[in-house]
Amino acid sequence: MTDEDARRERVDDVEVAGLTADDLALINWDQDERPAQIRAIVARIGPGWRQKVFIGQGWWPLLVRLDQRLARLDPDYDIVQVKEKFGGLRFYAAPSNGAARSPAFNAAIRDAEIEASRTCETCGQPGRLHSRKGWVVTLCAEHAAAVGAKPVG
């Protein structure tokens, strides 16, 4: 089996979960340089913070959707940090010009964090919390088994 056949097989498996073609392109990204959508999100990270998102590719599509939703509310909003912690998405951002965060701004972030809590960080399939050697991660059953992680709770 060629690399392209293996990639296509992964894509076919993921398509069953109802992900869009754009979602699949992000999840299966295999280039050294990050895709344009992720680079645009990283560009929002302010000075003094690491210019990187610390999450797996399975969460990239929901991160892009969150960015689009926040940009509709405030085109110039700022990001402080994007990371995984205790198996959940942590997204720290602020409206531009020091404005207070609106209920809609907070809801967008909360919705993405909830979606991430049910999404495999590796492949974007439905997932749940798992533990491996003290680390808590959100994975599907297949990726949890691959790293020897056990369901939490």
Side-chain angles (χ1 to χ4, degrees):
M1 175 181 293
T2 68
D3 287 343
E4 179 60 24
D5 291 336
R7 187 194 67 76
R8 190 171 292 119
E9 189 172 280
R10 281 196 321 271
V11 168
D12 291 343
D13 289 344
V14 174
E15 284 176 332
V16 175
L19 298 170
T20 68
D22 289 340
D23 292 344
L24 295 170
L26 287 170
I27 291 167
N28 292 311
W29 188 264
D30 63 356
Q31 306 298 312
D32 288 336
E33 185 176 34
R34 298 289 182 238
Q37 303 97 310
I38 301 301
R39 290 194 315 269
I41 292 167
V42 169
R44 289 184 179 276
I45 298 173
W49 297 97
R50 290 200 54 202
Q51 303 292 303
K52 186 171 179 170
V53 296
F54 297 92
I55 61 172
Q57 287 179 222
W59 287 355
W60 284 3
L62 67 92
L63 181 62
V64 169
R65 288 191 297 276
L66 172 59
D67 176 61
Q68 292 166 344
R69 189 171 168 188
L70 291 175
R72 283 192 298 274
L73 298 170
D74 181 351
D76 298 318
Y77 84 93
D78 297 309
I79 296 174
V80 174
Q81 190 176 50
V82 180
K83 65 181 181 179
E84 175 277 330
K85 186 171 185 176
F86 302 119
L89 173 66
R90 301 297 184 265
F91 187 89
Y92 304 104
S96 60
N97 302 322
R101 285 173 44 162
S102 69
F105 196 92
N106 289 334
I109 294 170
R110 184 186 62 245
D111 291 349
E113 289 173 343
I114 290 169
E115 182 181 353
S117 74
R118 299 185 300 242
T119 304
C120 177
E121 190 179 359
T122 301
C123 71
Q125 293 280 349
R128 61 175 293 196
L129 284 179
H130 289 80
S131 178
R132 178 178 179 262
K133 298 182 181 180
W135 290 97
V136 179
V137 292
T138 302
L139 298 170
C140 64
E142 179 182 342
H143 285 107
V147 297
K150 304 293 181 210
V152 172

